[in-house]
Amino acid sequence: MPVSPAASGQAIALLRELGAAEIAHPGGTLLAHLQRVQEQLAVWGARPALQLAGLCHAFYGTDGFPTALLSPDRRSELAAAIGAEAEAIVYLYASCDRKATYPTLADADASFRDRFTGRARVPEPQLRRDFAELSAANELDLARIDASFREKWGAELLALFTRFRPLLSRPAWSACHVVLAPEPCHRGRFAETWMRRPGDRADPRSGFGEIAARGRPASVTSE
């Protein structure tokens, strides 16, 4: 189900107001990256709240990208723009202490450490799935757009998403393999189907997407 134009428009207006279109990021600007993450989640079939969270996932900064557009004590402002459900996903993603949380995230009773407060909690299963799906969309965008990032971090990311696999949707897991472990068996039509994103050109003879070439920046900052 697509995000309503009104909801995404309000979020993009706030992102522009807070300078996301001027912040450099692999592939162009932070805003462009956020929009690609939303698009990827949409292709994977994410519900509107998760798509909006993907569009706004860097509002409070992250453990890997310290630049914040809003302080976490202004959560109500983002919630007013995208809704409480989407904002809760954004906060969860931003607040994650990755070193403490990543190793056991897929466990049903796994503890999630909040880097802002230092406290730990056990997120409900849906939130853990949302976190994993958003993490995959974010990291795969960076891996697609920058070969040096993929070469440096690809194996580590594949190991991470292999641990997250019970939380990931089928298309997200397939995309992890296609991008991070591009063996010949993953380059066929099945893989291309899961890899399509809005804007990819379709080949009318085959019915499958032709993934257009995208720019590769010289440096990367992971979120």
Side-chain angles (χ1 to χ4, degrees):
M1 182 178 178
V3 174
S4 72
S8 59
Q10 190 171 357
I12 290 171
L14 184 57
L15 284 163
R16 290 188 182 280
E17 178 185 336
L18 295 173
E22 283 75 52
I23 296 173
H25 195 278
T29 66
L30 177 60
L31 178 59
H33 165 68
L34 296 173
Q35 290 175 305
R36 290 194 304 269
V37 170
Q38 179 192 1
E39 290 168 1
Q40 179 63 90
L41 288 165
V43 168
W44 290 346
R47 68 192 189 283
L50 182 51
Q51 293 181 46
L52 284 170
L55 177 61
C56 299
H57 72 264
F59 256 88
Y60 309 132
T62 72
D63 204 5
F65 187 76
T67 301
L69 303 176
L70 280 179
S71 167
D73 61 10
R74 297 172 63 186
R75 292 182 61 184
S76 61
E77 296 177 37
L78 182 57
I82 65 173
E85 182 184 5
E87 191 281 330
I89 301 168
V90 172
Y91 181 83
L92 186 78
Y93 188 81
S95 68
C96 179
D97 179 332
R98 295 178 179 181
K99 184 177 181 180
T101 301
Y102 274 5
T104 59
L105 181 72
D107 297 344
D109 59 350
S111 177
F112 186 102
R113 183 169 296 279
D114 186 317
R115 69 187 181 94
F116 297 132
T117 67
R119 294 193 291 268
R121 65 181 177 118
V122 179
E124 61 187 58
Q126 183 62 64
L127 271 176
R128 288 203 305 276
R129 289 192 293 270
D130 292 339
F131 180 92
E133 198 88 349
L134 175 51
S135 297
N138 176 63
E139 299 294 354
L140 292 185
D141 179 67
L142 296 175
R144 281 193 190 96
I145 213 154
D146 190 333
S148 64
F149 176 91
R150 185 172 62 251
E151 290 165 6
K152 182 175 182 180
W153 300 109
E156 185 173 327
L157 286 172
L158 183 59
L160 174 67
F161 294 129
T162 299
R163 293 199 302 272
F164 284 7
R165 185 176 182 180
L167 303 174
L168 293 171
S169 68
R170 185 184 180 198
W173 171 243
S174 180
C176 288
H177 251 283
V178 171
V179 176
L180 303 173
E183 299 170 0
C185 63
H186 298 302
R187 293 182 184 143
R189 288 184 171 183
F190 173 78
E192 286 189 9
T193 303
W194 292 122
M195 285 291 289
R196 288 186 64 187
R197 296 189 291 174
D200 291 340
R201 298 188 300 273
D203 181 347
R205 295 167 299 174
S206 67
F208 292 89
E210 175 189 352
I211 307 303
R214 295 178 173 85
R216 303 180 186 278
S219 63
V220 152
T221 303
S222 174
E223 292 173 45

